[in-house]
Amino acid sequence: MRYASVESIKTLLIMGSFLVLIVMIPGIGSIAGFIGGLLYIYGLYKWSHAVDGRPFKLAMINFVVSTIGFAVAIGGLTRVNYELGFEFSLFKIIYAFILLLYPFLVVEALLHREVLKCFYRATKVEDFLIAGDLTLYGALLMPLLIGVVISLIARIMEISAYNNMPSKVEVLKERELEINRGEFITFPPVAVIIALVLLHFIVPSYDVKLTQDDVKFLGKIEGDFIDGMIVYDFPCMQNYCIREVKVDGKTMYSGGTYTFINGKHVVHVTIPKDARHIEVVLDTGEVVSLEIPHS
């Protein structure tokens, strides 16, 4: 049985984990989180050479998963953003973003728990096992928002575990990676289903959806009228992109009040349910026609 000195690595892991923990602090949080992430990865890299290569490999996989998850969530939020036009709120936007990330957060938590299990095998510090379980519970409960608190506690417990590591630990190089395949097969698909169900409830559905070129109309039927919004589905480079809106030849909008959602010009209109034709005049002079189908 061989042992390796990890005092300097221990410092890197503690500092990196602490800086990542304060990522939510406005102003310095993002910079501190970035620096902390680099320190943590460097600590894992050094650990891979001195003790065990599995945590570093798992962290690299986790980085890929988190990058893909962030890209998917941003892309999904672009669509959700203007479909929440009638019921727009910062809370709903943030919650929708969490739901879009949710399946990826679960995968990341499963992977990170395996990282902490590797640390436990080398150090015999049981706080790593507790932190790993809390990390998974926090991710699974994220849609209830209490998961945020549990995840925060898990991070604090993880920092404590690094701090309690002995100066010398058992070398575990060339060990096979042991993971609970059942959890990886079960939890992420369930998380996808939960995320889709909850998104269905918070993102409004529309009775009328029309698209022509870069113009969309989304509307809900309310009695004898359709409450809707016209979206110029392209980022506006000027104050406004939609100059005029006519419904069956009657002007419904001709400038004035307007809204921007995700950089796109949105015009709210209420039109008769039996309306047939929407004509949108853009600032460029282009006219886009939308025909409302009737059964």
Side-chain angles (χ1 to χ4, degrees), residues 56-114:
F56 181 71
K57 292 177 182 177
L58 286 166
M60 290 298 95
I61 296 171
N62 223 342
F63 176 76
V64 173
V65 172
S66 64
T67 301
I68 295 172
F70 189 77
V72 170
I74 290 294
L77 197 62
T78 300
R79 177 180 177 183
V80 169
N81 233 358
Y82 69 75
E83 292 209 358
L84 280 172
F86 283 120
E87 304 165 18
F88 182 85
S89 73
L90 182 60
F91 173 78
K92 283 191 174 183
I93 291 296
I94 294 173
Y95 191 60
F97 185 71
I98 291 173
L99 291 178
L100 290 165
L101 272 179
Y102 180 48
F104 298 94
L105 293 176
V106 170
V107 175
E108 291 170 43
L110 287 168
L111 289 169
H112 192 61
R113 188 170 70 155
E114 295 302 324

Side-chain angles (χ1 to χ4, degrees), residues 23-286:
V23 70
M24 297 302 292
I25 297 178
I28 65 169
S30 57
I31 298 173
F34 177 73
I35 295 172
L38 291 179
L39 288 175
Y40 185 77
I41 291 297
Y42 182 55
L44 292 182
Y45 174 76
K46 293 190 68 174
W47 183 274
S48 70
H49 285 280
V51 181
D52 185 1
R54 293 172 295 179
F56 181 71
K57 292 177 182 177
L58 286 166
M60 290 298 95
I61 296 171
N62 223 342
F63 176 76
V64 173
V65 172
S66 64
T67 301
I68 295 172
F70 189 77
V72 170
I74 290 294
L77 197 62
T78 300
R79 177 180 177 183
V80 169
N81 233 358
Y82 69 75
E83 292 209 358
L84 280 172
F86 283 120
E87 304 165 18
F88 182 85
S89 73
L90 182 60
F91 173 78
K92 283 191 174 183
I93 291 296
I94 294 173
Y95 191 60
F97 185 71
I98 291 173
L99 291 178
L100 290 165
L101 272 179
Y102 180 48
F104 298 94
L105 293 176
V106 170
V107 175
E108 291 170 43
L110 287 168
L111 289 169
H112 192 61
R113 188 170 70 155
E114 295 302 324
V115 169
L116 298 182
K117 284 181 181 178
C118 291
F119 275 104
Y120 168 73
R121 295 185 185 107
T123 66
K124 303 302 184 289
V125 175
E126 292 193 0
D127 283 354
F128 282 118
L129 297 180
I130 299 172
D133 288 341
L134 288 175
T135 297
L136 179 58
Y137 300 153
L140 291 174
L141 293 172
M142 198 61 69
L144 300 179
L145 299 183
I146 192 174
V148 176
V149 177
I150 296 174
S151 296
L152 179 62
I153 295 172
R155 287 296 181 183
I156 295 172
M157 183 67 70
E158 182 180 343
I159 295 171
S160 174
Y162 291 131
N163 187 57
N164 292 331
M165 283 198 312
S167 299
K168 291 185 178 181
V169 301
E170 182 183 352
V171 175
L172 300 176
K173 287 184 178 181
E174 299 178 2
R175 298 286 183 92
E176 292 293 327
L177 186 62
E178 301 172 8
I179 63 172
N180 189 328
R181 290 182 174 84
E183 291 180 346
F184 277 88
I185 293 172
T186 303
F187 289 151
V190 171
V192 170
I193 294 171
I194 292 173
L196 291 175
V197 170
L198 292 176
L199 280 169
H200 174 75
F201 281 106
I202 70 166
V203 178
S205 58
Y206 294 100
D207 303 306
V208 182
K209 287 186 177 183
L210 306 174
T211 303
Q212 183 64 43
D213 298 331
D214 290 323
V215 176
K216 294 177 183 281
F217 175 78
L218 305 170
K220 292 181 178 181
I221 296 176
E222 303 285 349
D224 293 330
F225 296 91
I226 301 175
D227 288 332
M229 60 179 176
I230 296 167
V231 182
Y232 182 64
D233 198 18
F234 197 82
C236 276
M237 305 305 293
Q238 310 173 57
N239 290 334
Y240 61 90
C241 293
I242 300 173
R243 188 169 66 194
E244 187 178 21
V245 176
K246 293 182 179 180
V247 177
D248 292 339
K250 181 180 178 181
T251 300
M252 306 294 291
Y253 171 83
S254 58
T257 58
Y258 52 83
T259 304
F260 281 89
I261 299 177
N262 202 37
K264 298 172 183 179
H265 188 185
V266 176
V267 174
H268 293 264
V269 293
T270 299
I271 66 176
K273 187 170 69 173
D274 58 357
R276 299 279 178 179
H277 180 78
I278 300 174
E279 186 178 277
V280 180
V281 182
L282 303 178
D283 188 56
T284 59
E286 179 186 357

